[in-house]
């Protein structure tokens, strides 16, 4: 049994109420159709449920959630996985700005391109290490103020051949976590003080493991994803501005 | 069975939407109403509006003045002024409908006029002089006649705006009864300036119309700059200034559209530093000469004119903007869902880069009095400030 709903005529608060009711009643599978900009879908849900979303989910899909696995068959708007804690969001299309804003745990797999400020303020603690994998390209401010977790950008499934794999101000203010890019960028695109590093063997292992799951999600060939070399961007110190105010 | 209720108290930003048919075919008003209403949460009922192009073909060579007045006296004063200063060939109240939620709306009247350049009524296309006289007239009405505001003044186009949600304003002005080859719409969530009838978007001058999500932090600088050229800011809100900047840069100074967008949202100095010498000199000059026209703060704007639709983001992308196309029809909106609401299977959906305009112009010779600002045009007016003439004109052609 699953809850299957066409929510095209519902206000988002009504749609979310019905989803929450179903989950409280023990429902494990949610299928939402006719999604047109409905906000906060699955937001704040602490339960191991699986959801399929058809259409274009609105802002803050899966915000603050702990546990659900969401598959979006379409593009999603801004704020996917805002401060999410556990679970996984798989997007079979593109995503907007601020994906994984302040993300604390779980995974976001995106097939195509993403917008600006993706992974801004991601963080990690002990075993909770969030991960965002982007199959396309990313806009400016990728990983801005990043404090933990990992971002992998493949640059492969992009509709923007003219754009670089990631935009300007990459990792500005970053003080934790790692950004892996499949390909090259100019040093001038990086935030102040950041450098391009080559991978170490543990990075390679991590990328391969992560991409194995990504490839399965989208029916891709892992070896194709690993054909090109990756580079790594990481903070030069965990307190890049430690001396800015106290000197 | 379902208890569907609309909660209007959620905080958000404004919503914008625009549609253009490149072949100049008419798009029913219902489409733009759906696109903007899908972004309902982006407004709070304190303003909404629509601009429609191609709605007055019977008066295509006359400026259509949409007037908003709060008294009979103001209306009479404007009518008197127009009789004196223009050839007024027709006027009527703008048709409206009673909407329960819209209380005490002002009165709306539309006038079709040509300014008196000479004793005789001149037929055919407008001269630069006519446009300039119209701008003066609009400024004069807004500034001098109490309780009267011109809410649009272009040819074959008009604006319908007021205080309410988009569906309410659409119903009030019977927007579904119009069809247009370009539409833009706005759903307002005022943050810093009052939610009054004149403050609703679009803002207009001649056939420029603009809707905006964000805030122009540089409003004070921009306003002082634009007032030097005779524009008067009377609508108490930041977006108005962008309309006049467009008119100054593109119509009066003859800058190509793309360059004008680069004045408003210039590349960063670090990007300019990396450019080839000629390009670098051009962008440095633009930043120096037109520093007062640079827009600071978060914005996503849509603007239109008799011939095109343009979407532009601030250069660090602090507001959302999505574009799509289906055949000859192009869409730009704050949210992809707004586009999907009227076109479920677009050929292409993309996120424009920050600071890079999306410019969609109609095919050549599709509409009367058509304008194109993509090509280099001969300079119509020489003004001292136009020192940009030092640069080889080929640079203005863009990439």
């Amino acid at each position: 049994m699953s809850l299957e709903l066409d929510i095209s005529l519902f206000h988002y608060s009504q749609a979310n109420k019905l989803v929450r009711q179903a989950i409280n009643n023990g429902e494990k599978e949610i299928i939402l159709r006719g999604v047109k900009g409905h906000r906060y879908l699955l937001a704040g849900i602490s339960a191991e449920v699986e959801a399929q979303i058809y259409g274009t989910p609105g802002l803050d899909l899966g915000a603050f959630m702990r546990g659900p696995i969401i598959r979006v068959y379409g593009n999603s708007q801004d704020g996917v996985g805002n401060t999410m804690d556990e679970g996984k969001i798989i997007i079979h299309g593109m995503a907007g700005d601020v994906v994984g804003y302040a993300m604390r745990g779980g995974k976001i797999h995106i097939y195509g391109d993403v917008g600006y400020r993706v992974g801004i303020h991601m963080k990690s603690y002990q075993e909770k290490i969030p991960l965002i994998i982007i199959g396309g390209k990313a806009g400016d401010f990728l990983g801005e103020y990043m404090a933990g977790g990992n971002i992998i950008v493949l640059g492969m499934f992009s509709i923007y051949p003219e754009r670089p794999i990631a935009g300007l101000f990459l990792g500005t203010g970053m003080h934790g976590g790692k950004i892996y890019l499949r390909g090259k960028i100019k040093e001038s695109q990086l935030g102040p003080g950041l450098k391009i590093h080559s991978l170490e063997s543990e990075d390679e292992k991590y990328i391969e493991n992560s991409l194995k799951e990504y490839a399965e999600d989208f029916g891709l060939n892992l070896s194709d994803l690993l054909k090109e070399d990756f580079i790594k961007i990481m903070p030069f110190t965990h307190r890049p501005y430690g001396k800015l105010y106290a000197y | 069975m379902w208890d569907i209720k609309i909660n209007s108290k959620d905080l958000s930003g404004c919503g914008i939407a625009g549609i253009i048919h490149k072949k100049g075919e008419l798009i029913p008003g219902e489409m733009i109403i759906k696109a903007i209403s899908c972004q309902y949460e982006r407004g709070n009922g304190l303003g909404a509006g629509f601009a429609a192009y191609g709605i007055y073909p019977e008066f295509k060579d006359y400026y259509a003045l949409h007037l908003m007045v709060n008294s009979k006296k103001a209306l009479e004063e404007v009518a008197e002024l127009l009789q004196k200063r223009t050839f007024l060939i027709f006027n009527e109240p703008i048709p409206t409908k009673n909407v329960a939620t819209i209380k005490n709306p002002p009165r709306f009247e539309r006038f079709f006029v040509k300014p008196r350049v000479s004793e005789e009524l001149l037929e055919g296309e407008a001269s630069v002089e006519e446009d300039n006289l119209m701008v003066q007239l609009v400024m004069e009405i807004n500034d001098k006649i109490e309780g009267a505001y011109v809410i649009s003044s272009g040819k074959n186009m008009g604006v319908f705006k007021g205080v309410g949600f988009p569906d309410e304003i659409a119903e009030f002005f019977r927007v579904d009864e119009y069809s247009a080859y370009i539409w833009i719409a706005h759903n307002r969530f005022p943050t810093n300036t009052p939610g009054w009838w004149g403050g609703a978007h679009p803002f207009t001058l001649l056939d420029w119309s603009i809707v905006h999500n964000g805030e122009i932090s540089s409003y004070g600088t921009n306003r002082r700059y634009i007032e030097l050229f005779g524009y008067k800011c009377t609508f108490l809100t930041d977006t108005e200034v962008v309309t006049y900047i467009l008119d100054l840069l593109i119509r009066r100074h003859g800058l190509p559209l793309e360059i004008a967008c680069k004045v408003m949202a210039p590349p960063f100095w670090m990007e300019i530093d990396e450019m080839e010498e000629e390009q670098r000199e051009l962008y440095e000059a633009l930043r120096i000469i037109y520093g007062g026209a640079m827009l600071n703060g978060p914005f996503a704007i849509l603007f239109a004119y008799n011939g095109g639709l343009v979407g532009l983001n601030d250069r660090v992308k602090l507001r959302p903007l999505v574009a799509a196309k289906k055949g000859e029809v192009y869409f730009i909106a704050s949210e992809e869902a707004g586009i999907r609401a009227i076109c479920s299977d677009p050929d292409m959906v993309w996120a424009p880069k920050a600071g890079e305009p999306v410019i969609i112009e109609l095919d050549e010779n599709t509409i009367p009095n058509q304008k194109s600002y993509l090509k280099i045009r001969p300079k119509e007016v020489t003004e001292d400030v136009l020192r940009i003439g030092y640069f080889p004109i080929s640079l203005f052609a863009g990439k």
Side-chain angles (χ1 to χ4, degrees):
Chain A
M1 254 276 295
S2 63
L3 172 75
E4 187 163 352
L5 266 184
D6 185 319
I7 59 169
S8 53
L9 295 176
F10 293 174
H11 186 256
Y12 72 76
S13 60
Q14 187 67 15
N16 277 312
K17 201 166 146 191
L18 292 167
V19 169
R20 281 197 199 104
Q21 262 169 13
I23 292 169
N24 284 343
N25 293 338
E27 191 59 74
K28 293 286 176 208
E29 196 183 4
I30 317 279
I31 300 171
L32 299 178
R33 296 184 190 278
V35 180
K36 285 200 175 105
H38 294 78
R39 296 182 174 190
Y40 316 119
L41 292 176
L42 280 298
I45 302 285
S46 287
E48 289 187 3
V49 297
E50 297 206 6
Q52 295 174 32
I53 291 177
Y54 295 87
T56 310
L59 310 183
D60 289 326
L61 168 72
F64 304 103
M65 75 175 195
R66 182 177 289 166
I69 296 173
I70 304 175
R71 285 188 177 78
V72 178
Y73 296 95
N75 297 339
S76 69
Q77 295 187 174
D78 303 335
V80 172
N82 177 353
T83 325
M84 73 182 263
D85 195 46
E86 266 177 57
K88 188 173 171 186
I89 302 177
I90 303 151
I91 296 172
H92 291 254
M94 303 187 297
D97 299 338
V98 283
V99 174
Y101 173 20
M103 190 180 172
R104 305 148 47 107
K107 289 172 189 163
I108 301 178
H109 287 180
I110 295 158
Y111 179 78
D113 296 297
V114 296
Y116 286 58
R117 296 184 180 75
V118 170
I120 180 174
H121 232 304
M122 270 171 94
K123 55 200 77 172
S124 62
Y125 181 66
Q126 293 181 350
E127 80 285 0
K128 284 206 170 175
I129 303 169
L131 168 66
I132 302 175
I133 306 181
I134 300 151
K137 295 176 176 177
D140 297 356
F141 304 102
L142 177 69
E144 192 181 23
Y145 309 124
M146 195 172 167
N150 296 296
I151 300 175
I152 303 175
V153 189
L154 301 177
M156 296 173 72
F157 315 113
S158 174
I159 62 166
Y160 311 114
E162 74 287 359
R163 298 186 190 175
I165 185 165
L168 297 173
F169 309 111
L170 190 147
T172 300
M174 166 178 200
H175 51 107
K178 296 183 186 84
I179 301 173
Y180 299 103
L181 305 175
R182 184 186 186 271
K184 293 189 174 67
I185 54 161
K186 290 190 279 187
E187 288 235 353
S188 60
Q189 286 174 248
L190 300 179
L194 293 178
K195 294 234 159 7
I196 296 171
H197 302 264
S198 45
L199 300 196
E200 287 168 30
S201 65
E202 61 186 56
D203 295 316
E204 278 167 9
K205 222 179 291 163
Y206 177 78
I207 289 177
E208 187 171 343
N209 273 336
S210 306
L211 289 183
K212 193 164 170 249
E213 190 181 326
Y214 180 87
E216 279 165 15
D217 280 341
F218 297 111
L220 299 165
N221 209 336
L222 177 64
S223 59
D224 291 341
L225 306 185
L226 294 171
K227 254 180 204 157
E228 298 269 329
D229 286 342
F230 284 77
I231 54 167
K232 176 170 73 172
I233 317 294
M234 56 182 209
F236 55 97
T237 153
H238 76 291
R239 292 192 68 208
Y241 302 114
K243 291 197 172 140
L244 188 62
Y245 300 113
Y247 47 86
Chain B
M1 136 183 212
W2 307 113
D3 170 29
I4 302 176
K5 65 166 192 235
I6 303 291
N7 181 357
S8 59
K9 291 287 165 62
D10 303 283
L11 278 162
S12 190
C14 302
I16 55 181
I19 320 175
I20 181 170
H21 195 299
K22 259 176 87 76
K23 295 262 184 264
E25 282 173 31
L26 296 176
I27 302 157
E30 198 189 324
M31 293 260 284
I32 192 74
I33 299 171
K34 267 194 196 163
I36 196 68
S37 298
C38 177
Q39 307 178 72
Y40 190 86
E41 321 300 336
R42 303 191 72 86
N44 66 350
L46 287 177
F50 301 83
Y53 289 76
I55 54 173
Y56 300 129
E58 65 275 34
F59 300 116
K60 63 183 168 51
D61 292 326
Y62 289 82
Y63 296 87
L65 279 185
H66 278 201
L67 189 77
M68 174 179 90
V69 289
N70 67 358
S71 69
K72 203 170 160 225
K73 183 170 164 281
L75 181 60
E76 283 165 2
E77 279 179 52
V78 173
E80 199 182 315
L81 184 73
L82 292 176
Q83 287 289 3
K84 214 183 300 169
R85 302 264 291 275
T86 69
F87 297 101
L88 167 59
I89 63 152
F90 183 68
N91 67 298
E92 63 174 357
I94 295 176
T96 54
K97 195 159 135 187
N98 281 336
V99 176
T101 45
I102 294 182
K103 307 268 192 280
N104 298 324
R107 293 169 64 160
F108 291 90
E109 181 91 6
R110 56 191 168 203
F111 298 86
F112 296 89
V113 303
K114 264 189 177 221
R116 288 181 189 268
V117 178
S118 61
E119 291 300 309
E120 299 285 304
L121 174 61
L122 301 171
E123 289 299 327
E125 294 218 352
S127 61
V128 177
E129 205 181 345
E130 277 186 342
D131 277 347
N132 288 341
L133 284 174
M134 269 322 285
V135 171
Q136 278 172 25
L137 195 60
V138 169
M139 295 297 147
E140 195 174 324
I141 295 171
N142 291 344
D143 191 35
K144 300 269 164 59
I145 299 182
E146 207 188 313
Y149 291 92
V150 176
I151 58 168
S152 67
S153 51
K155 287 179 181 172
N156 205 2
M157 61 82 71
V159 158
F160 307 98
K161 68 176 189 179
V163 175
F165 279 104
D167 53 328
E168 296 165 348
I169 292 301
E171 196 186 347
F172 177 76
F173 283 108
R174 299 158 58 173
V175 172
D176 60 328
E177 294 172 24
Y178 297 88
S179 288
Y181 38 72
I182 307 170
W183 283 101
I184 61 172
H186 189 253
N187 184 11
R188 188 165 189 228
F189 196 114
T191 43
N192 298 324
T193 53
W196 70 294
W197 281 74
H201 303 212
F203 288 92
T204 62
L205 186 66
L206 300 176
D207 60 323
W208 299 111
S209 68
I210 174 164
V211 290
H212 165 219
N213 166 24
E215 72 180 65
I216 310 293
S217 320
S218 54
Y219 174 68
T221 307
N222 301 141
R223 178 178 177 163
R224 280 190 292 278
Y225 176 68
I226 213 75
E227 281 177 347
L228 296 174
F229 300 91
Y231 298 94
K232 291 191 164 61
C233 295
T234 50
F235 283 92
L236 313 174
T237 194
D238 51 0
T239 310
E240 180 187 16
V241 82
V242 186
T243 323
Y244 307 149
I245 290 175
L246 290 173
D247 188 59
L248 178 74
L249 297 183
I250 301 173
R251 187 180 65 84
R252 285 173 63 186
H253 287 184
L255 294 193
L257 189 45
E258 217 177 345
I259 295 290
C261 291
K262 292 291 179 192
V263 167
M264 294 187 290
F268 292 102
W269 284 111
M270 63 177 261
E271 290 174 282
I272 293 175
D273 288 343
E274 286 190 1
M275 288 175 180
E276 301 281 320
E277 195 183 339
E278 269 200 341
Q279 284 267 316
R280 193 176 65 234
E281 281 187 19
L282 170 67
Y283 281 101
E284 279 176 4
L286 288 174
R287 290 203 65 164
I288 293 163
I289 296 170
Y290 288 117
M294 176 183 145
L295 304 179
N296 209 346
F299 65 86
I301 56 176
L302 286 182
F303 62 89
Y305 50 92
N306 268 330
L309 170 69
V310 181
L312 180 68
N313 250 143
D314 66 83
R315 56 203 181 140
V316 286
K317 184 104 201 306
L318 289 165
R319 288 294 179 273
L321 199 66
V322 181
K325 88 174 269 253
K326 169 83 179 172
E328 299 295 331
V329 187
Y330 286 77
F331 309 86
I332 314 181
S334 298
E335 297 189 17
E336 186 177 327
I339 296 172
R340 299 259 177 197
I342 51 172
C343 175
S344 56
D345 58 340
D347 303 335
M348 195 173 137
V349 177
W350 75 99
K353 265 189 102 171
E356 286 191 6
V358 179
I359 305 173
I360 315 292
E361 285 208 332
L362 293 171
D363 290 348
E364 273 178 62
N365 304 320
T366 31
I367 57 161
N369 298 313
Q370 186 170 343
K371 289 170 185 164
S372 169
Y373 295 121
L374 277 180
K375 296 194 195 102
I376 305 162
R377 290 160 297 131
K379 255 186 319 200
E380 284 159 354
V381 183
T382 13
E383 297 193 35
D384 278 351
V385 74
L386 207 58
R387 287 184 292 257
I388 201 87
Y390 289 144
F391 293 91
I393 202 129
S394 62
L395 269 180
F396 289 157
K399 284 161 231 161

